[in-house]
Amino acid sequence: MIFSTAFFLLCAAGLILASWRIRLRDAEATVTELFDRLLEDRSVRIAVIVVWWWLGWHFLAGETL
């Protein structure tokens, strides 16, 4: 449990660092341009999908039993 939480927090931190790095390159980029540039990288797209999946699985899915 702790390992999976740490892993997904690491993925979220990576996304934040990637967006910060892009923002440093172009300080006048809009939010839409920031996401467009961020999602050009395949590894970032996969990380976004994994983080959303984890959030949905743990917090948004209802109990089935």
Side-chain angles (χ1 to χ4, degrees):
M1 172 81 176
I2 292 174
F3 175 74
S4 66
T5 304
F7 173 75
F8 289 109
L9 286 175
L10 183 65
C11 287
L15 291 173
I16 292 169
L17 288 175
S19 66
W20 178 67
R21 196 175 96 199
I22 291 172
R23 183 61 111 175
L24 284 178
R25 268 193 266 156
D26 187 8
E28 295 183 10
T30 64
V31 174
T32 304
E33 291 171 349
L34 178 71
F35 280 116
D36 286 342
R37 291 179 190 165
L38 208 100
L39 293 174
E40 287 176 358
D41 189 12
R42 182 178 182 188
S43 60
V44 173
R45 286 193 310 258
I46 292 171
V48 167
I49 290 170
V50 168
V51 168
W52 276 113
W53 172 81
W54 185 83
L55 285 172
W57 183 263
H58 290 285
F59 296 111
L60 303 175
E63 283 192 40
T64 57
L65 297 175

